[in-house]
Every structure is written in structure tokens, then in C-alpha cells.
Amino acid sequence: MLLRSLVVCGCVSALAAQLPPFAAPVRVHAGDVLLGGKRMFPSPVWHDLDGDGRLDLVVGDLPGRVTVARGLARGPLAFARDTAVPGAGGAPLKFHNW
């Protein structure tokens, strides 16, 4: 078992050495505030929610809130301030994680 673990670790290390480096992280603004600020474990995903051809940033978080920052025409990382995503009854969409 130990030999098997060492072989797997060696393979993972070799693979990691071949991967290209990532660029430095960039904090994204939504309007005049940082997107995801003061939220527990924000989890963003790109999606064009309104069909305007610009990607919007949908963000869920640990307590279950879901917001969207609409993409603006002035650039690929330009977003309006994030707002709650409305559910079927019009109330903010929330997935209760607790």
C-alpha cells in the first residue's frame, strides 16, 4: 500500500510540474463594490441570464443566497452591482443549506 501511494504521489507531482501556471487572482467589482464581499464562500459561475450576449456572473454562497451581477457593455470584467435572483413567487431565490 505504501509503495502504491508513493507511485501515485510521484505521478501527481510529475503532472503538476507540467501544468501551466495560473495568472494572479483579480478581485472583480460589481458596480462600486467588490463582488462577493462579506459573503461566506461565494461560488461564481458565468451565464448569460438575460440573453443579451454578455456573460453575467451568478454567485451562490454558503447560506444559500443567489445573486447575479449583469455584464455591462464596457468590458469583459465590467458588471452592474449584484442583485438577488428572483424565484417563482418573486421572492429572492435561496437554497437553504443549513
Side-chain angles (χ1 to χ4, degrees):
M1 186 66 160
L2 178 60
L3 178 60
R4 185 174 172 192
S5 297
L6 291 174
V7 170
V8 170
C9 289
C11 291
V12 170
S13 296
L15 178 62
Q18 296 174 7
L19 295 175
F22 287 99
V26 175
R27 293 293 308 261
V28 177
H29 280 82
D32 57 348
V33 298
L34 289 171
L35 185 64
K38 299 183 182 176
R39 293 180 70 174
M40 292 178 60
F41 301 101
S43 300
V45 64
W46 297 102
H47 190 75
D48 182 7
L49 283 182
D50 51 12
D52 64 359
R54 291 188 297 267
L55 289 175
D56 306 309
L57 205 50
V58 180
V59 182
D61 62 13
L62 186 62
R65 292 175 297 182
V66 181
T67 60
V68 62
R70 305 276 180 192
L72 300 175
R74 64 175 184 247
L77 288 178
F79 299 95
R81 197 166 191 166
D82 59 333
T83 58
V85 175
L93 185 63
K94 184 171 182 176
F95 294 97
H96 300 281
N97 288 340
W98 296 102

Coordinates of all heavy atoms in Angstrom, one line a residue:
M1 N 0.8 -1.2 0.0 CA 0.0 0.0 0.0 C 0.9 1.3 0.0 O 0.6 2.2 -0.7 CB -0.9 0.0 1.2 CG -1.9 1.1 1.2 SD -3.0 0.9 -0.1 CE -4.4 1.9 0.4
L2 N 1.9 1.3 0.8 CA 2.8 2.4 0.8 C 3.5 2.6 -0.5 O 3.6 3.8 -1.0 CB 3.9 2.2 1.9 CG 4.9 3.3 2.0 CD1 4.2 4.7 2.4 CD2 6.0 3.0 3.1
L3 N 3.9 1.6 -1.2 CA 4.6 1.7 -2.5 C 3.6 2.3 -3.5 O 3.9 3.2 -4.3 CB 5.1 0.3 -3.0 CG 5.7 0.3 -4.4 CD1 6.9 1.3 -4.4 CD2 6.1 -1.1 -4.8
R4 N 2.3 1.8 -3.4 CA 1.3 2.3 -4.3 C 1.0 3.8 -4.1 O 0.9 4.5 -5.1 CB 0.0 1.5 -4.1 CG -1.1 1.8 -5.0 CD -2.2 0.8 -4.7 NE -3.4 1.2 -5.4 CZ -4.6 0.7 -5.2 NH1 -4.7 -0.2 -4.3 NH2 -5.6 1.0 -5.9
S5 N 1.0 4.2 -2.9 CA 0.8 5.6 -2.5 C 2.0 6.5 -3.1 O 1.8 7.6 -3.6 CB 0.7 5.8 -1.0 OG -0.4 5.2 -0.5
L6 N 3.2 6.0 -2.9 CA 4.4 6.7 -3.4 C 4.3 6.8 -4.9 O 4.7 7.9 -5.5 CB 5.7 6.0 -3.0 CG 5.9 6.1 -1.5 CD1 7.2 5.3 -1.1 CD2 6.1 7.5 -1.0
V7 N 3.9 5.8 -5.6 CA 3.8 5.8 -7.1 C 2.8 6.9 -7.5 O 3.0 7.7 -8.4 CB 3.5 4.4 -7.7 CG1 3.2 4.5 -9.1 CG2 4.7 3.5 -7.4
V8 N 1.6 6.9 -6.8 CA 0.6 7.8 -7.2 C 1.0 9.2 -6.9 O 0.8 10.1 -7.7 CB -0.7 7.5 -6.4 CG1 -1.7 8.6 -6.5 CG2 -1.3 6.2 -6.9
C9 N 1.7 9.5 -5.8 CA 2.2 10.8 -5.4 C 3.2 11.2 -6.5 O 3.2 12.4 -6.9 CB 2.8 10.8 -4.0 SG 1.6 10.7 -2.7
G10 N 4.1 10.3 -6.9 CA 5.1 10.7 -7.9 C 4.4 11.1 -9.2 O 4.8 12.0 -9.9
C11 N 3.3 10.4 -9.6 CA 2.6 10.7 -10.8 C 1.9 12.1 -10.7 O 1.9 12.9 -11.7 CB 1.6 9.6 -11.2 SG 2.3 8.1 -11.6
V12 N 1.3 12.3 -9.6 CA 0.7 13.6 -9.4 C 1.7 14.8 -9.4 O 1.4 15.8 -10.0 CB -0.2 13.6 -8.1 CG1 -0.7 15.0 -7.7 CG2 -1.3 12.6 -8.2
S13 N 2.8 14.6 -8.8 CA 3.9 15.6 -8.8 C 4.4 15.9 -10.2 O 4.6 17.0 -10.6 CB 5.0 15.2 -7.9 OG 4.6 15.1 -6.6
A14 N 4.6 14.8 -11.0 CA 5.0 15.0 -12.4 C 4.0 15.7 -13.2 O 4.3 16.6 -14.0 CB 5.3 13.6 -13.0
L15 N 2.7 15.4 -13.0 CA 1.6 16.1 -13.7 C 1.6 17.5 -13.3 O 1.4 18.4 -14.2 CB 0.3 15.4 -13.4 CG -0.9 16.0 -14.1 CD1 -0.8 15.9 -15.6 CD2 -2.2 15.3 -13.6
A16 N 1.7 17.8 -12.0 CA 1.6 19.2 -11.6 C 2.8 20.0 -12.1 O 2.6 21.2 -12.4 CB 1.6 19.2 -10.0
A17 N 3.9 19.4 -12.3 CA 5.1 20.2 -12.9 C 4.8 20.5 -14.4 O 5.4 21.5 -14.9 CB 6.3 19.3 -12.8
Q18 N 3.9 19.8 -15.1 CA 3.7 20.1 -16.5 C 2.6 21.1 -16.7 O 2.4 21.6 -17.8 CB 3.3 18.8 -17.2 CG 4.4 17.8 -17.2 CD 4.0 16.4 -17.8 OE1 2.9 16.3 -18.3 NE2 4.8 15.4 -17.7
L19 N 1.8 21.4 -15.7 CA 0.6 22.3 -15.8 C 1.1 23.7 -16.0 O 2.1 24.1 -15.3 CB -0.3 22.2 -14.6 CG -1.0 20.8 -14.5 CD1 -1.8 20.8 -13.2 CD2 -1.9 20.6 -15.7
P20 N 0.5 24.5 -16.8 CA 0.9 25.9 -16.9 C 0.5 26.7 -15.6 O -0.5 26.3 -15.0 CB 0.0 26.4 -18.1 CG -1.1 25.5 -18.2 CD -0.7 24.2 -17.7
P21 N 1.3 27.7 -15.3 CA 0.9 28.5 -14.1 C -0.3 29.3 -14.3 O -0.6 29.7 -15.4 CB 2.2 29.4 -13.9 CG 2.7 29.5 -15.3 CD 2.4 28.2 -16.0
F22 N -1.1 29.6 -13.3 CA -2.2 30.4 -13.3 C -1.8 31.9 -13.2 O -0.8 32.2 -12.5 CB -3.2 30.1 -12.2 CG -3.9 28.8 -12.4 CD1 -3.5 27.7 -11.8 CD2 -5.0 28.7 -13.2 CE1 -4.2 26.5 -11.9 CE2 -5.7 27.6 -13.4 CZ -5.3 26.4 -12.8
A23 N -2.6 32.8 -13.7 CA -2.3 34.2 -13.5 C -2.7 34.6 -12.1 O -3.5 33.8 -11.4 CB -3.2 35.0 -14.5
A24 N -2.3 35.7 -11.7 CA -2.6 36.2 -10.3 C -4.1 36.4 -10.2 O -4.7 36.9 -11.2 CB -1.8 37.4 -10.0
P25 N -4.7 36.1 -9.1 CA -6.2 36.4 -9.0 C -6.5 37.9 -9.1 O -5.7 38.7 -8.7 CB -6.5 35.8 -7.6 CG -5.2 35.7 -6.9 CD -4.2 35.6 -7.9
V26 N -7.7 38.1 -9.6 CA -8.2 39.5 -9.7 C -9.5 39.7 -9.0 O -10.4 38.8 -9.1 CB -8.4 39.8 -11.2 CG1 -9.0 41.2 -11.4 CG2 -7.1 39.7 -12.0
R27 N -9.6 40.7 -8.2 CA -10.9 40.9 -7.5 C -11.8 41.6 -8.5 O -11.4 42.6 -9.1 CB -10.7 41.8 -6.3 CG -9.9 41.2 -5.1 CD -10.6 40.0 -4.4 NE -11.9 40.3 -4.0 CZ -12.3 40.6 -2.7 NH1 -11.4 40.7 -1.8 NH2 -13.5 40.8 -2.4
V28 N -13.0 41.2 -8.6 CA -14.0 41.7 -9.6 C -14.9 42.6 -8.9 O -15.5 42.3 -7.8 CB -14.8 40.5 -10.2 CG1 -15.8 41.1 -11.2 CG2 -13.8 39.6 -11.0
H29 N -15.1 43.8 -9.5 CA -16.1 44.8 -8.9 C -17.4 44.6 -9.6 O -17.5 44.3 -10.8 CB -15.6 46.2 -9.2 CG -14.5 46.7 -8.2 ND1 -13.2 46.3 -8.3 CD2 -14.6 47.4 -7.1 CE1 -12.5 46.9 -7.3 NE2 -13.4 47.5 -6.6
A30 N -18.5 44.8 -8.8 CA -19.8 44.8 -9.3 C -20.4 46.2 -8.9 O -20.7 46.4 -7.8 CB -20.6 43.7 -8.7
G31 N -20.4 47.1 -9.9 CA -20.8 48.5 -9.5 C -19.6 49.1 -8.8 O -18.5 48.9 -9.2
D32 N -19.9 49.6 -7.6 CA -18.8 50.3 -6.9 C -18.3 49.4 -5.7 O -17.6 49.9 -4.8 CB -19.3 51.6 -6.4 CG -20.6 51.5 -5.5 OD1 -21.2 50.4 -5.5 OD2 -21.0 52.5 -4.9
V33 N -18.7 48.2 -5.6 CA -18.3 47.3 -4.5 C -17.6 46.0 -5.1 O -17.8 45.7 -6.3 CB -19.5 46.9 -3.6 CG1 -20.1 48.1 -2.9 CG2 -20.5 46.1 -4.4
L34 N -16.9 45.4 -4.2 CA -16.2 44.1 -4.7 C -17.3 43.0 -4.7 O -18.1 42.9 -3.8 CB -15.1 43.7 -3.7 CG -13.9 44.5 -3.8 CD1 -12.9 44.2 -2.7 CD2 -13.2 44.3 -5.1
L35 N -17.3 42.2 -5.8 CA -18.3 41.2 -5.9 C -17.9 40.1 -4.9 O -16.8 39.6 -4.8 CB -18.2 40.6 -7.3 CG -19.3 39.5 -7.7 CD1 -20.7 40.1 -7.6 CD2 -19.0 39.0 -9.1
G36 N -19.0 39.6 -4.2 CA -18.8 38.5 -3.2 C -18.2 39.0 -1.9 O -18.0 38.2 -1.0
G37 N -18.1 40.3 -1.7 CA -17.6 40.8 -0.5 C -18.5 40.5 0.7 O -19.7 40.5 0.5
K38 N -18.0 40.2 1.8 CA -18.8 39.9 3.0 C -19.8 38.7 2.9 O -20.8 38.7 3.4 CB -19.5 41.1 3.5 CG -18.6 42.3 3.9 CD -19.4 43.5 4.4 CE -18.4 44.6 4.7 NZ -19.1 45.8 5.1
R39 N -19.4 37.8 2.0 CA -20.2 36.6 1.8 C -19.4 35.4 2.2 O -18.2 35.3 1.9 CB -20.7 36.5 0.4 CG -21.7 37.6 0.1 CD -22.2 37.6 -1.3 NE -23.1 36.5 -1.5 CZ -23.8 36.4 -2.7 NH1 -23.6 37.2 -3.6 NH2 -24.6 35.3 -2.8
M40 N -20.0 34.4 2.7 CA -19.3 33.1 3.1 C -19.2 32.2 1.9 O -20.2 31.8 1.3 CB -20.1 32.4 4.2 CG -20.1 33.1 5.5 SD -21.1 32.3 6.7 CE -20.2 30.7 6.8
F41 N -18.0 32.0 1.4 CA -17.6 31.1 0.4 C -18.4 31.3 -0.9 O -19.2 30.5 -1.4 CB -17.8 29.6 0.8 CG -17.0 29.2 2.0 CD1 -17.5 29.2 3.2 CD2 -15.6 29.0 1.8 CE1 -16.7 28.8 4.3 CE2 -14.8 28.6 2.9 CZ -15.4 28.6 4.1
P42 N -18.3 32.5 -1.5 CA -19.0 32.8 -2.7 C -18.5 31.9 -3.8 O -17.4 31.6 -4.0 CB -18.7 34.3 -3.0 CG -17.4 34.5 -2.3 CD -17.4 33.6 -1.1
S43 N -19.5 31.4 -4.6 CA -19.2 30.4 -5.7 C -19.8 31.0 -7.0 O -21.0 30.8 -7.2 CB -19.8 29.1 -5.4 OG -19.2 28.6 -4.2
P44 N -19.0 31.6 -7.8 CA -19.5 32.2 -9.0 C -19.5 31.3 -10.2 O -18.8 30.3 -10.3 CB -18.4 33.4 -9.3 CG -17.2 32.8 -8.7 CD -17.6 32.0 -7.5
V45 N -20.4 31.6 -11.2 CA -20.5 30.9 -12.4 C -20.9 31.9 -13.5 O -21.7 32.8 -13.3 CB -21.4 29.7 -12.4 CG1 -22.9 30.1 -12.1 CG2 -21.3 28.8 -13.6
W46 N -20.3 31.7 -14.7 CA -20.7 32.6 -15.8 C -21.9 32.1 -16.5 O -22.0 30.9 -16.8 CB -19.6 32.6 -16.9 CG -18.3 33.1 -16.5 CD1 -17.2 32.4 -16.2 CD2 -17.9 34.5 -16.4 NE1 -16.1 33.2 -15.9 CE2 -16.5 34.5 -16.0 CE3 -18.5 35.7 -16.6 CZ2 -15.8 35.7 -15.8 CZ3 -17.8 36.9 -16.4 CH2 -16.5 36.9 -16.0
H47 N -22.9 32.9 -16.8 CA -24.0 32.5 -17.6 C -24.7 33.8 -18.1 O -24.8 34.8 -17.4 CB -25.0 31.7 -16.7 CG -26.1 31.1 -17.5 ND1 -25.9 30.0 -18.3 CD2 -27.4 31.4 -17.6 CE1 -27.1 29.7 -18.8 NE2 -28.0 30.5 -18.5
D48 N -25.2 33.7 -19.4 CA -25.9 34.8 -19.9 C -27.4 34.7 -19.5 O -28.2 34.0 -20.2 CB -25.8 34.9 -21.5 CG -26.5 36.0 -22.1 OD1 -27.0 36.9 -21.4 OD2 -26.5 36.1 -23.3
L49 N -27.8 35.2 -18.4 CA -29.2 35.1 -17.9 C -30.2 35.8 -18.7 O -31.3 35.3 -18.8 CB -29.3 35.5 -16.4 CG -28.7 34.6 -15.4 CD1 -28.9 35.3 -14.0 CD2 -29.3 33.3 -15.4
D50 N -29.9 36.9 -19.2 CA -30.9 37.7 -19.9 C -30.9 37.6 -21.5 O -31.6 38.3 -22.1 CB -30.9 39.2 -19.5 CG -29.5 39.8 -19.5 OD1 -28.6 39.2 -20.1 OD2 -29.3 40.9 -19.0
G51 N -30.0 36.8 -22.0 CA -29.9 36.6 -23.4 C -29.4 37.8 -24.2 O -29.6 37.9 -25.4
D52 N -28.7 38.7 -23.6 CA -28.2 39.9 -24.3 C -26.8 39.7 -24.9 O -26.2 40.6 -25.5 CB -28.1 41.1 -23.4 CG -27.1 41.0 -22.2 OD1 -26.5 39.9 -22.1 OD2 -27.0 41.9 -21.4
G53 N -26.3 38.5 -24.9 CA -25.0 38.2 -25.5 C -23.8 38.5 -24.6 O -22.6 38.2 -24.9
R54 N -24.0 39.1 -23.4 CA -22.9 39.3 -22.4 C -23.1 38.4 -21.3 O -24.2 38.1 -20.8 CB -23.0 40.8 -21.9 CG -22.7 41.8 -23.0 CD -22.6 43.2 -22.4 NE -23.9 43.6 -21.8 CZ -24.8 44.4 -22.4 NH1 -24.6 44.7 -23.7 NH2 -25.9 44.7 -21.8
L55 N -21.9 37.8 -20.8 CA -21.9 36.9 -19.7 C -22.2 37.7 -18.4 O -21.7 38.7 -18.2 CB -20.6 36.2 -19.6 CG -20.3 35.2 -20.7 CD1 -18.9 34.6 -20.5 CD2 -21.4 34.0 -20.6
D56 N -23.1 37.1 -17.6 CA -23.4 37.6 -16.3 C -22.8 36.7 -15.3 O -22.4 35.6 -15.6 CB -25.0 37.6 -16.1 CG -25.7 38.3 -17.2 OD1 -25.3 39.5 -17.5 OD2 -26.7 37.8 -17.7
L57 N -22.6 37.2 -14.1 CA -21.9 36.4 -13.1 C -22.9 36.1 -12.0 O -23.4 37.0 -11.3 CB -20.7 37.2 -12.5 CG -19.6 36.5 -11.8 CD1 -19.1 35.3 -12.7 CD2 -18.5 37.4 -11.5
V58 N -23.3 34.8 -11.9 CA -24.2 34.3 -10.9 C -23.4 33.8 -9.7 O -22.5 33.1 -9.9 CB -25.1 33.2 -11.5 CG1 -26.1 32.7 -10.5 CG2 -25.8 33.6 -12.8
V59 N -23.8 34.2 -8.5 CA -23.0 33.9 -7.3 C -23.9 33.3 -6.3 O -24.9 33.9 -5.9 CB -22.3 35.1 -6.7 CG1 -21.4 34.7 -5.5 CG2 -21.4 35.8 -7.8
G60 N -23.6 32.1 -5.9 CA -24.2 31.4 -4.7 C -23.3 31.5 -3.6 O -22.1 31.6 -3.8
D61 N -23.8 31.3 -2.4 CA -22.9 31.3 -1.2 C -23.3 30.2 -0.2 O -24.4 29.6 -0.4 CB -22.8 32.7 -0.6 CG -24.1 33.2 0.0 OD1 -25.0 32.5 0.1 OD2 -24.1 34.4 0.3
L62 N -22.6 30.1 0.8 CA -22.8 29.0 1.8 C -24.2 29.1 2.4 O -24.9 28.1 2.6 CB -21.7 29.0 2.9 CG -21.8 27.8 3.9 CD1 -21.6 26.5 3.1 CD2 -20.8 28.0 4.9
P63 N -24.7 30.3 2.9 CA -26.0 30.3 3.4 C -27.2 30.1 2.4 O -28.3 29.9 2.8 CB -26.2 31.7 4.0 CG -24.8 32.2 4.2 CD -24.0 31.5 3.1
G64 N -26.9 30.0 1.1 CA -27.9 29.7 0.1 C -28.4 30.9 -0.7 O -29.3 30.7 -1.5
R65 N -27.8 32.0 -0.5 CA -28.3 33.2 -1.3 C -27.7 33.1 -2.7 O -26.6 32.6 -3.0 CB -27.8 34.5 -0.7 CG -28.4 34.8 0.6 CD -27.8 36.0 1.2 NE -26.4 35.7 1.5 CZ -25.5 36.5 2.0 NH1 -25.9 37.7 2.3 NH2 -24.3 36.2 2.2
V66 N -28.5 33.5 -3.7 CA -28.1 33.5 -5.1 C -28.3 34.9 -5.7 O -29.4 35.5 -5.6 CB -28.9 32.5 -5.9 CG1 -28.5 32.5 -7.4 CG2 -28.8 31.1 -5.3
T67 N -27.2 35.5 -6.2 CA -27.3 36.9 -6.8 C -26.8 36.8 -8.2 O -26.1 35.9 -8.6 CB -26.6 37.9 -5.9 OG1 -25.2 37.5 -5.9 CG2 -27.1 38.0 -4.5
V68 N -27.0 37.9 -8.9 CA -26.5 38.0 -10.3 C -25.9 39.4 -10.5 O -26.5 40.4 -10.1 CB -27.5 37.7 -11.4 CG1 -28.7 38.6 -11.3 CG2 -26.9 37.7 -12.8
A69 N -24.8 39.5 -11.1 CA -24.2 40.7 -11.5 C -24.2 40.7 -13.0 O -23.5 39.9 -13.7 CB -22.7 40.9 -11.0
R70 N -25.1 41.6 -13.6 CA -25.2 41.6 -15.0 C -24.0 42.2 -15.7 O -23.4 43.2 -15.3 CB -26.4 42.5 -15.4 CG -27.7 42.1 -14.7 CD -28.4 41.0 -15.4 NE -29.6 40.7 -14.7 CZ -30.3 39.6 -15.0 NH1 -30.0 38.8 -15.9 NH2 -31.4 39.3 -14.3
G71 N -23.6 41.5 -16.8 CA -22.4 42.0 -17.6 C -22.8 43.3 -18.3 O -23.9 43.5 -18.8
L72 N -21.8 44.2 -18.3 CA -22.0 45.5 -18.9 C -21.3 45.6 -20.3 O -20.3 44.8 -20.5 CB -21.5 46.7 -18.0 CG -22.2 46.8 -16.7 CD1 -21.5 47.8 -15.8 CD2 -23.7 47.1 -16.8
A73 N -21.7 46.4 -21.1 CA -21.1 46.5 -22.5 C -19.7 47.1 -22.5 O -19.0 46.9 -23.5 CB -22.0 47.4 -23.4
R74 N -19.2 47.7 -21.4 CA -17.9 48.4 -21.5 C -16.7 47.5 -21.3 O -15.6 48.0 -21.3 CB -17.9 49.5 -20.5 CG -18.0 49.2 -19.1 CD -17.9 50.5 -18.2 NE -17.9 50.1 -16.8 CZ -18.9 50.4 -16.0 NH1 -19.9 51.1 -16.4 NH2 -18.8 50.1 -14.7
G75 N -16.9 46.2 -21.1 CA -15.7 45.3 -20.9 C -16.1 44.0 -20.4 O -17.2 43.8 -19.8
P76 N -15.2 43.0 -20.6 CA -15.5 41.6 -20.2 C -15.6 41.4 -18.7 O -16.2 40.5 -18.2 CB -14.3 40.8 -20.8 CG -13.2 41.8 -20.9 CD -13.9 43.1 -21.2
L77 N -14.9 42.3 -17.9 CA -15.0 42.2 -16.4 C -15.7 43.4 -15.8 O -15.4 43.9 -14.7 CB -13.6 42.1 -15.8 CG -12.9 40.7 -16.1 CD1 -11.5 40.7 -15.5 CD2 -13.7 39.6 -15.5
A78 N -16.7 43.9 -16.6 CA -17.5 45.1 -16.1 C -18.9 44.6 -15.7 O -19.6 44.0 -16.6 CB -17.5 46.2 -17.1
F79 N -19.3 44.8 -14.5 CA -20.6 44.3 -14.0 C -21.3 45.3 -13.3 O -20.7 46.1 -12.6 CB -20.4 43.1 -13.1 CG -19.7 41.9 -13.8 CD1 -18.3 41.7 -13.6 CD2 -20.4 41.0 -14.5 CE1 -17.7 40.7 -14.2 CE2 -19.8 40.0 -15.2 CZ -18.4 39.8 -15.0
A80 N -22.7 45.3 -13.4 CA -23.5 46.1 -12.5 C -23.5 45.5 -11.1 O -23.1 44.4 -10.9 CB -24.9 46.1 -13.1
R81 N -23.9 46.3 -10.2 CA -24.0 45.8 -8.8 C -24.9 44.5 -8.7 O -25.9 44.5 -9.4 CB -24.5 46.8 -7.9 CG -24.2 46.6 -6.4 CD -24.5 47.8 -5.6 NE -23.9 47.6 -4.3 CZ -23.7 48.5 -3.4 NH1 -24.0 49.8 -3.7 NH2 -23.2 48.2 -2.3
D82 N -24.5 43.5 -7.9 CA -25.3 42.3 -7.9 C -26.6 42.5 -7.2 O -26.7 43.2 -6.2 CB -24.5 41.1 -7.4 CG -23.9 41.3 -6.0 OD1 -23.7 42.5 -5.6 OD2 -23.7 40.3 -5.3
T83 N -27.6 41.8 -7.7 CA -28.9 41.8 -7.1 C -29.4 40.4 -6.9 O -28.9 39.4 -7.6 CB -29.9 42.5 -8.1 OG1 -29.9 41.9 -9.3 CG2 -29.5 44.0 -8.3
A84 N -30.4 40.2 -6.1 CA -30.9 38.9 -5.8 C -31.6 38.3 -7.1 O -32.2 39.0 -7.8 CB -32.0 38.9 -4.7
V85 N -31.5 37.0 -7.3 CA -32.2 36.3 -8.4 C -33.6 36.0 -7.9 O -33.7 35.3 -6.9 CB -31.4 35.1 -8.8 CG1 -32.2 34.3 -9.9 CG2 -30.0 35.4 -9.3
P86 N -34.6 36.5 -8.6 CA -36.0 36.2 -8.1 C -36.4 34.7 -8.4 O -36.1 34.2 -9.4 CB -36.9 37.2 -8.9 CG -36.1 37.5 -10.1 CD -34.6 37.3 -9.7
G87 N -37.1 34.2 -7.4 CA -37.6 32.8 -7.6 C -39.0 32.9 -8.2 O -39.5 33.9 -8.7
A88 N -39.7 31.7 -8.2 CA -41.0 31.6 -8.9 C -42.0 32.6 -8.4 O -42.8 33.2 -9.1 CB -41.5 30.2 -8.8
G89 N -42.1 32.9 -7.1 CA -43.1 33.8 -6.5 C -42.6 35.2 -6.4 O -43.3 36.1 -5.9
G90 N -41.4 35.5 -7.0 CA -40.9 36.9 -7.0 C -39.9 37.1 -5.8 O -39.2 38.1 -5.8
A91 N -40.0 36.3 -4.8 CA -39.1 36.4 -3.6 C -37.7 36.0 -4.0 O -37.5 35.2 -4.9 CB -39.6 35.6 -2.5
P92 N -36.7 36.5 -3.4 CA -35.3 36.2 -3.7 C -35.1 34.7 -3.6 O -35.5 34.0 -2.7 CB -34.4 36.9 -2.7 CG -35.2 38.0 -2.2 CD -36.7 37.6 -2.3
L93 N -34.4 34.1 -4.6 CA -34.1 32.7 -4.7 C -33.1 32.4 -3.6 O -32.1 33.1 -3.4 CB -33.5 32.3 -6.0 CG -33.2 30.9 -6.4 CD1 -34.5 30.1 -6.3 CD2 -32.5 30.8 -7.7
K94 N -33.4 31.3 -2.8 CA -32.5 30.9 -1.8 C -32.5 29.4 -1.6 O -33.6 28.8 -1.6 CB -32.8 31.6 -0.5 CG -31.9 31.2 0.6 CD -32.1 32.1 1.9 CE -31.0 31.7 2.9 NZ -31.1 32.5 4.1
F95 N -31.3 28.8 -1.6 CA -31.2 27.4 -1.4 C -30.8 27.2 0.1 O -29.7 27.6 0.5 CB -30.2 26.7 -2.3 CG -30.5 26.8 -3.7 CD1 -30.1 27.8 -4.5 CD2 -31.4 25.8 -4.2 CE1 -30.4 27.8 -5.9 CE2 -31.8 25.9 -5.6 CZ -31.3 26.9 -6.4
H96 N -31.6 26.7 0.9 CA -31.3 26.5 2.3 C -30.3 25.4 2.6 O -30.6 24.3 2.5 CB -32.6 26.3 3.1 CG -33.6 27.4 3.0 ND1 -33.5 28.6 3.6 CD2 -34.7 27.5 2.1 CE1 -34.5 29.4 3.3 NE2 -35.2 28.8 2.4
N97 N -29.1 25.8 2.9 CA -28.0 24.9 3.1 C -28.0 24.4 4.5 O -27.3 23.4 4.8 CB -26.7 25.5 2.7 CG -26.5 25.6 1.2 OD1 -27.2 25.0 0.5 ND2 -25.7 26.5 0.8
W98 N -28.6 25.0 5.4 CA -28.5 24.6 6.8 C -29.7 24.0 7.3 O -30.7 24.2 7.3 CB -28.1 25.9 7.7 CG -26.8 26.4 7.3 CD1 -26.6 27.5 6.6 CD2 -25.5 25.9 7.7 NE1 -25.3 27.8 6.4 CE2 -24.6 26.8 7.1 CE3 -25.1 24.8 8.4 CZ2 -23.2 26.6 7.2 CZ3 -23.7 24.7 8.5 CH2 -22.8 25.5 7.9

